[in-house]
Amino acid sequence: MQKIRNIAIIAHVDHGKTTLVDKILHACSIFRDNEQTGDLILDNNDLERERGITIVSKNVSVQYKDVKINIIDTPGHADFGGEVERVLKMADGVLLLCDAFEGAMPQTRFVTQKALALGLKPIVVVNKVDKENCRPEEVYEQIFELFFNLEATEDQLDFPVIYGSSKQGWMSTDWKVPTTDIFALLDTVVSTIPPAPTNDGTLQMQITSLDYSSFVGRIAIGRVHRGAIKENQPVTLIKRDGKVVKTRVKELYTFEGLGKIRTTEVKSGDICAVVGIDGFDIGDTIADFDAPEQLPVIKIDEPTMNMLFTINNSPFFGKEGKFVTSQRLRERLYKEMEKNLALKVIETESPDSYLVYGRGILHLSVLIETMRREGYEIQVGQPQVIVKEIDGQKCEPIETLIVDVPGEVAGKVIELVTQRKGELLVMEPKGDLQHLEFEIPSRGIIGLRNNVLTATAGEAIMAHRFKAYEPWKGTIPGRLNGVLVSMDKGNTTAYSIDKLQDRGRFFVDPGVDVYEGQIMGEHIRDNDLVVNIVKGKALTNMRASGTDDNTRIAPAIKFSLEEAMEYIQADEYIEITPLSMRLRKIYLTENERKINSKKFQ
């Protein structure tokens, strides 16, 4: 029997996965006593730390009572489901984390379904039992019901439950009896999760993840499914489409703690990193040199949304970014496709524009934000859902939307969702909140979050997941108000903004460079209005009799990238550079907009 356990940690976003991994790393003493580690050790890129979410799955390994436990920390957000689907292939069991108050959320259902379908053994961890209003017993019942509805096997339904608080660093089999450590969880992992199977025979290993090093290039990561892989061994790389490439393993690493250590041989069941194989993609199989056999290719759910990515052609192009050409944009998008399986890039009729398909607004915005930080200047269009024809009927993606909201504003939320063709399915109390469940077209969710948060004074908790393709639900009203568009190029003045405040709310401050066709703010009516925002006060050599008017300007509205993506309409772009984000019309002059207005109706 091998003393290896491979587990993936899955949960809805913000239920405490990465915090739990921190505590496991500390409990297994992989750090020196005087080492400064900080929190959320595995969320190691800037975007993950700023947003407080996991975007890319990570592998770590700990030693506990002479057993090696390989842990895979997965993202919790539905938009990164593609990341979860492929790494579950490396695991033999899953730790399903659940918040003791929130219970099973939409994303919990999504990843649990994938894990149960792969036949993985689950352990349920009811986390955050130190919270007020927590209801661990109810959550346990809810999880059991979820497993039953997802057609879990009898063995999977007989899952152990651990209660505790990752933040306070304790786990116990009884939530009323707190302990001082998390060893109850590690003991359960060792006793419940089946040991990694040893399959004798010729080599088979599927690449489920990749790493990059500036010294050795791309590194293939996966679990050895059968046989053993050795350093300097000649192997066959079988591509997803069945093409065969002869190659050789140069170096071999296994995971230990947060890093990797070099080794000469890895047997089946263990997770390893292979250096020296060129031209591989995720889902390819590394097989025996003489008698290669392919493993089943990883199937990833289809994307549900696309956006147009194009080069920056605004009057301010090239001022802030390093990479501004279409060649650079193309290279970067195709490079992203290698590791981001849920992403698809399609070339358009224009050599400067590409249609990028993704899982949702967050999935695409993380790509845009990463490119911006790398020095790219790009423009993106309005997100569009992907429409399919099924049995001769026009169909669109439908999502399950869950909103937890204070009771007194539940009516406003129901009104907003039903305006966008949403259908209320469930309404029940949950603690001091109302729990609402809807079915709504994906189109209806674009731009909904801002409206719901405004209507509920920021108190709504929203989550959604893709359900299925269903017949087209009809037209959904877009943005209710028009925009204020600049008619001239120059510096914005406080004088102009002050005089135009009764026309709408502004997105720019005084003293900012703007160009003709840039969107300055939101109009109070439903039509667009062209305004002169760069005009200064006419000065004379006469002394003013009495005091001049003091300008009092309302603070400018600042959008986040996701909010801007949800805000723009079909005839608008977001211009994104390393230092700025601007909203603009596709056609900058008023005359061009009138000529091309029919295109966007």
Side-chain angles (χ1 to χ4, degrees), residues 403-406 409 413 433 449-462:
V403 188
D404 290 337
V405 65
V409 285
V413 173
L433 299 173
R449 188 179 298 270
N450 284 350
N451 296 348
V452 167
L453 290 177
T454 306
T456 61
E459 289 199 54
I461 301 163
M462 279 177 67

Side-chain angles (χ1 to χ4, degrees), residues 202-259:
T202 55
L203 167 65
Q204 274 187 317
M205 169 183 160
Q206 190 156 43
I207 299 167
T208 46
S209 195
L210 60 88
D211 203 352
Y212 184 80
S213 151
S214 49
F215 298 109
V216 295
R218 292 166 78 225
I219 301 167
I221 297 171
R223 184 168 82 161
V224 182
H225 178 71
R226 190 175 73 190
I229 188 166
K230 297 175 183 152
E231 215 169 53
N232 282 324
Q233 177 182 355
V235 292
T236 303
L237 178 70
I238 308 174
K239 306 285 290 172
R240 289 170 71 102
D241 57 8
K243 197 172 143 202
V244 171
V245 182
K246 300 294 184 187
T247 180
R248 182 181 287 274
V249 175
K250 285 184 186 156
E251 293 169 17
L252 208 51
Y253 294 85
T254 54
F255 290 88
E256 186 164 302
L258 288 170

Side-chain angles (χ1 to χ4, degrees), residues 10-19 97-100 102-105 108 125 127-128 166:
I10 59 174
H12 185 78
V13 65
D14 232 11
H15 280 195
K17 295 180 297 299
T18 308
T19 307
L97 238 75
C98 221
D99 186 300
E102 291 185 347
M105 298 286 278
T108 319
V125 181
N127 193 20
K128 305 191 184 183
S166 300

Side-chain angles (χ1 to χ4, degrees), residues 457-588:
E459 289 199 54
I461 301 163
M462 279 177 67
H464 55 90
R465 69 179 172 86
F466 172 69
K467 178 180 170 263
Y469 270 86
E470 290 182 12
W472 182 262
K473 301 282 190 221
T475 53
I476 291 176
R479 190 174 63 204
L480 300 174
N481 295 35
V483 287
L484 303 172
V485 184
S486 172
M487 69 160 62
D488 214 344
K489 186 176 177 180
N491 249 26
T492 56
T493 62
Y495 172 78
S496 295
I497 293 176
D498 182 44
K499 295 291 182 233
L500 290 165
Q501 278 190 110
D502 59 341
R503 296 297 185 146
R505 305 179 304 162
F506 280 90
F507 305 154
V508 290
D509 293 309
V512 175
D513 266 344
V514 297
Y515 52 80
E516 183 183 3
Q518 189 177 332
I519 294 171
M520 300 288 96
E522 184 173 79
H523 192 198
I524 51 171
R525 297 210 170 95
D526 61 1
N527 62 316
D528 294 347
L529 183 69
V530 178
V531 295
N532 187 344
I533 198 173
V534 299
K535 187 169 74 175
K537 185 176 181 214
L539 300 177
T540 68
N541 58 1
M542 299 290 286
R543 203 162 159 194
S545 60
T547 56
D548 202 356
D549 289 347
N550 286 333
T551 56
R552 289 193 181 86
I553 298 173
I557 297 167
K558 299 293 180 195
F559 285 137
S560 70
L561 178 55
E562 282 95 49
E563 286 168 344
M565 285 161 72
E566 293 191 340
Y567 185 78
I568 62 168
Q569 296 298 295
D571 63 336
E572 294 161 4
Y573 277 155
I574 310 171
E575 178 191 348
I576 298 141
T577 72
L579 303 177
S580 321
M581 183 178 81
R582 304 180 185 96
L583 306 185
R584 54 160 284 189
K585 290 288 183 183
I586 293 178
Y587 295 101
L588 295 178

Side-chain angles (χ1 to χ4, degrees), residues 427-439:
M427 183 176 182
E428 57 192 21
K430 178 175 174 183
D432 51 356
L433 299 173
Q434 277 290 343
H435 175 78
L436 309 172
E437 285 186 27
F438 302 90
E439 274 184 11

Side-chain angles (χ1 to χ4, degrees), residues 380-400:
V380 296
Q382 184 188 29
Q384 306 282 348
V385 300
I386 296 166
V387 179
K388 290 184 179 176
E389 192 164 304
I390 302 170
D391 300 332
Q393 207 171 10
K394 184 181 176 186
C395 292
E396 63 174 332
I398 303 290
E399 310 220 5
T400 302

